[in-house]
Amino acid sequence: MSSSSRQTREGWSRIAAWRSQHRSAATSSWQKLIARPVATGMVWLVVAISLALPGAMLLTLDNLRPLIPDLERPAQVSVMLDGELDLEQAEALQRELGTWDTVEDVTLVRRDEALVVFGEQTGLSGLLTSLDHNPLPHALLVSPTAPRTNTALSQLVKAIDGLSGVDRVIVDSQWMSRLDQALLATERWGLALGAAMVLGAILALANTLHFAIDARREEILVVRVIGGSPGFIRRPFLYTGLYFGAGGGVLAGLMLWVLSLWIAGPVNALFALYGSPGQIQSPGVGYPSALIALGAGLGWLTSWTASARYFSRLDAS
């Protein structure tokens, strides 16, 4: 047999041994977990709550963000015309704005109509009828096309304000900025809450894994004496952490699904009452998959860190 063939067989043998060791460690770790269902379930529940709460907040923001432009943003921009403009000039300006791509609709409010409405709202109709002339100008109510973002609205206001015959353009854009900042603050609050909850899950996992490692102290010492490598000793605990994290992620995904189904009916009915076609979207596959991957990664890294610290203290003692 040639040396290259022998090296190939040895390489495959090492791979087979490595796979067998991983399979044995994974099976042994899983059997130890299911042998203590209550303790394992408690750890899964802690991890699930830590992942599900921030996940639910981010899912809510993802559902609300596309609906905000349709539900909340102003539908009209008030354009006050110069008081010297007559009705014919105001109608010409109305037709001009109606041809813009950024304008969906333009409504002309004649000065006589505005005076009547003002008198009815203020209760000064009798006083206003005694005036020699109407002090109110013609006005235009401009409905911008979607999307009604802050940038698009600012550009439209600037363009209208530059037209001849326009005295003032009125739009309440401050509350739009407040709304955007509120969404940003809520998103950051969700991320901060998520970080705090994940930190709590890491601490709970680290404490549980520390006790699991310490309970097998004698076994670890025996394996080290007979020449077991650090990777071989650490491997079962890595799978234990992986199972803890992935199981918590699966439970968190189920919680997210149940929560979304529970609130979908009332929230969709609320959207319908406000005339919005939007509906609460389910978490789909992305959110549960992300929670499972995050939980598994946290469990693996926490187990690695906890075992490394334990072994370093064991060497120092």
Side-chain angles (χ1 to χ4, degrees):
M1 182 182 298
S2 63
S3 60
S4 60
S5 177
R6 184 168 55 254
Q7 291 176 354
T8 301
R9 291 188 60 183
E10 291 177 354
W12 281 110
S13 298
R14 285 195 295 268
I15 293 175
W18 179 82
R19 292 178 58 185
S20 176
Q21 291 174 3
H22 272 274
R23 187 183 303 110
S24 176
T27 303
S28 174
S29 298
W30 177 252
Q31 289 175 348
K32 284 182 171 59
L33 289 183
I34 61 177
R36 299 177 300 169
V38 176
T40 301
M42 292 295 291
V43 175
W44 281 348
L45 187 60
V46 170
V47 176
I49 294 175
S50 301
L51 297 178
L53 286 180
M57 181 172 289
L58 294 178
L59 178 63
T60 302
L61 288 175
D62 286 344
N63 276 279
L64 291 180
R65 194 175 296 278
L67 301 176
I68 294 300
D70 295 329
L71 288 176
E72 301 291 346
R73 295 193 185 278
Q76 290 180 330
V77 176
S78 300
V79 181
M80 310 303 294
L81 303 181
D82 195 327
E84 298 180 357
L85 259 65
D86 56 25
L87 181 59
E88 184 177 348
Q89 292 173 317
E91 291 175 343
L93 191 57
Q94 177 189 15
R95 289 191 296 270
E96 179 182 352
L97 287 175
T99 61
W100 289 13
D101 294 335
T102 55
V103 174
E104 181 178 332
D105 183 56
V106 184
T107 302
L108 173 62
V109 180
R110 297 176 175 84
R111 64 178 66 191
D112 295 336
E113 298 173 351
L115 186 65
V116 172
V117 173
F118 180 75
E120 292 176 351
Q121 292 179 349
T122 60
L124 301 176
S125 300
L127 178 62
L128 294 176
T129 54
S130 63
L131 296 177
D132 296 335
H133 68 284
N134 187 349
L136 299 180
H138 297 298
L140 298 175
L141 300 180
V142 180
S143 299
T145 56
R148 302 183 182 98
T149 61
N150 283 337
T151 302
L153 190 60
S154 299
Q155 292 175 352
L156 178 62
V157 169
K158 184 177 180 180
I160 295 176
D161 194 41
L163 294 175
S164 176
V166 174
D167 180 46
R168 185 171 51 173
V169 181
I170 302 174
V171 57
D172 184 11
S173 59
Q174 287 187 350
W175 72 273
M176 296 170 59
S177 300
R178 296 191 192 104
L179 179 62
D180 290 336
Q181 292 301 318
L183 287 175
L184 180 60
T186 305
E187 183 176 1
R188 291 186 177 180
W189 170 252
L191 293 175
L193 175 64
M197 297 297 291
V198 168
L199 179 60
I202 291 175
L203 294 177
L205 283 173
N207 186 61
T208 302
L209 290 168
H210 174 79
F211 284 117
I213 297 171
D214 191 59
R216 301 173 64 179
R217 176 186 177 90
E218 299 299 329
E219 179 183 344
I220 293 172
L221 293 176
V222 171
V223 174
R224 294 183 66 179
V225 168
I226 63 177
S229 65
F232 178 83
I233 300 173
R234 184 184 293 114
R235 193 170 296 134
F237 305 113
L238 294 179
Y239 277 104
T240 300
L242 178 66
Y243 292 146
F244 276 144
V250 171
L251 190 56
L254 292 176
M255 288 181 177
L256 210 57
W257 265 99
V258 172
L259 179 63
S260 63
L261 293 175
W262 183 47
I263 67 173
V267 173
N268 291 338
L270 180 63
F271 287 155
L273 291 175
Y274 278 94
S276 172
Q279 290 187 341
I280 287 291
Q281 301 297 320
S282 65
V285 180
Y287 267 90
S289 300
L291 292 176
I292 294 172
L294 179 60
L298 289 176
W300 184 278
L301 291 176
T302 303
S303 179
W304 182 282
T305 305
S307 59
R309 292 188 60 188
Y310 185 86
F311 294 154
S312 64
R313 288 199 301 266
L314 199 62
D315 292 334
S317 60

